[in-house]
Amino acid sequence: MHAPPPGARVAVPLSLPADLAPPPGGLDVEASGLAMGVTWTLKAVTLPGLGPEVLARTVQGRLDAVVAEMSPWELSSHISAFNRAPAGAWLDLPEGFAQVMTCALEMARLGQGAFDPTIGALTDLWGFGPAGPVEAPPTPELIEAALARAGWERLAFEAQPRRLRQPGGLALDLSGIAKGFGVDQAARALLALGVRHFLLEVGGELRGEGLKPDGLPWWVELERLEGEVEGQSPVVLALCGLSVATSGDYRRYIIHEGRRLAHTLDPRTGRPSERGVACVNVLGPEAMRADAWCTLLSVVGAEEGLALCAAHGIPARFMVHTKKGLEERLSPAFQALLDD
């Protein structure tokens, strides 16, 4: 996007670094690839010697490393090894895995179980995991059995020396946080190369640093959804040192008896969340935390979610199903970013 469309509301960071200008003679490059079951794209301003091939290898390598650690679709991954481990076994974790577990358990405590990284059995049961899709929702008995195997409080995690204990039958699912972590890891690798101006997108999660070659921000328009109430002007983000994560009930779901059951499961009930949230966008300096917040807020709904956002200073935008259509709800921190 070259510029925000007429009438758009623009969300800009409250503070910017002083030395923000793109480098003189910088090269405008693009790269893309496949990882984590999604596509990724990169737009960057770089210096000679850091062309698209180098940047593509850098991003792909970091994303592939996250997959090797945290994808339950990979039988050789660390998460798969943990999920297969016998009761009482301790698994040594790579540094990245330990960082994700630290954040995931913090979010589980904050959300009082509305975010839970231990619902792998439930994810499979509903057809959203490696076991593949299902034709109909599981029975209440199967849901109760899967819930009995889950529970973040059953985990024993030691940040040092980075290890996790399998209590028996528990299956981790980090899909609500790992993609955001992958974005952060790739962004850190680019910054370490000296690439300070880029926009990275991985399956709908974005991270922007610096400016475009023309000296303007990386403009990102939040997705417009079918059924939005008329008169709601579009929102455009100026991503500069910021990430945005999105969770929506329209992305992955099953249809049963005319009802759309979204992939966001409420760990407290074992069923898809039915709090009327069509979409949540969360901004933050870390894509990992923004990703986790999106998952949590989609589960608890707009009313409880806005209270949590107000208490913790989280910039979030909800699109909520109402009788009139999809209506917007903004947290105070998100409203503060809008350029009126």
Side-chain angles (χ1 to χ4, degrees), residues 124-298:
D124 277 343
L125 197 60
W126 282 92
F128 300 123
V134 296
E135 295 183 359
T139 64
E141 292 77 16
L142 288 173
I143 292 173
E144 287 303 315
L147 278 172
R149 293 175 55 190
W152 64 276
E153 292 176 312
R154 297 181 63 210
L155 283 174
F157 169 61
E158 296 179 357
Q160 292 295 335
R162 298 202 309 260
R163 63 178 191 158
L164 191 64
R165 182 180 181 274
Q166 168 63 267
L170 186 147
L172 291 175
D173 175 10
L174 299 175
S175 60
I177 188 172
K179 188 165 61 172
F181 178 72
V183 173
D184 289 337
Q185 288 291 91
R188 291 187 186 107
L190 291 169
L191 290 168
L193 283 177
V195 182
R196 300 182 56 208
H197 304 270
F198 61 84
L199 178 67
L200 174 64
E201 184 262 338
V202 182
E205 322 290 28
L206 296 106
R207 169 79 169 264
E209 291 286 345
L211 301 172
K212 297 190 298 177
D214 58 9
L216 293 176
W218 300 102
W219 301 116
V220 174
E221 182 175 351
L222 295 182
E223 186 176 1
R224 302 279 286 178
L225 305 182
E226 183 179 349
E228 287 191 22
V229 173
E230 292 186 10
Q232 294 178 158
S233 56
V235 174
V236 175
L237 311 176
L239 287 188
C240 181
L242 282 176
S243 301
V244 60
T246 300
S247 178
D249 68 359
Y250 54 91
R251 291 191 165 183
R252 293 178 62 205
Y253 54 86
I254 60 174
I255 299 292
H256 179 66
E257 296 180 348
R259 296 176 61 207
R260 183 166 66 181
L261 303 173
H263 76 286
T264 302
L265 302 178
D266 187 335
R268 301 165 299 183
T269 66
R271 294 166 172 79
S273 177
E274 295 184 294
R275 297 302 180 97
V277 174
C279 178
V280 181
N281 310 108
V282 174
L283 282 163
E286 283 189 330
M288 174 179 68
R289 289 191 180 273
D291 195 4
W293 270 103
C294 267
T295 304
L296 171 60
L297 297 175
S298 295

Side-chain angles (χ1 to χ4, degrees), residues 22-36:
L27 305 176
D28 185 11
V29 304
E30 296 186 9
S32 61
L34 297 170
M36 310 179 89

Side-chain angles (χ1 to χ4, degrees), residues 76 80 197 217 223 303:
S76 61
S80 293
H197 304 270
E223 186 176 1
E303 183 176 352

Side-chain angles (χ1 to χ4, degrees), residues 81-130:
F82 177 85
N83 291 347
R84 293 192 302 264
W90 285 90
L91 181 75
D92 293 329
L93 302 181
E95 183 178 357
F97 200 142
Q99 290 175 15
V100 171
M101 284 306 305
T102 298
C103 182
L105 293 175
E106 287 176 2
M107 294 299 296
R109 284 188 288 271
L110 184 151
Q112 298 182 330
F115 181 95
D116 193 330
T118 72
I119 60 169
L122 280 165
T123 303
D124 277 343
L125 197 60
W126 282 92
F128 300 123

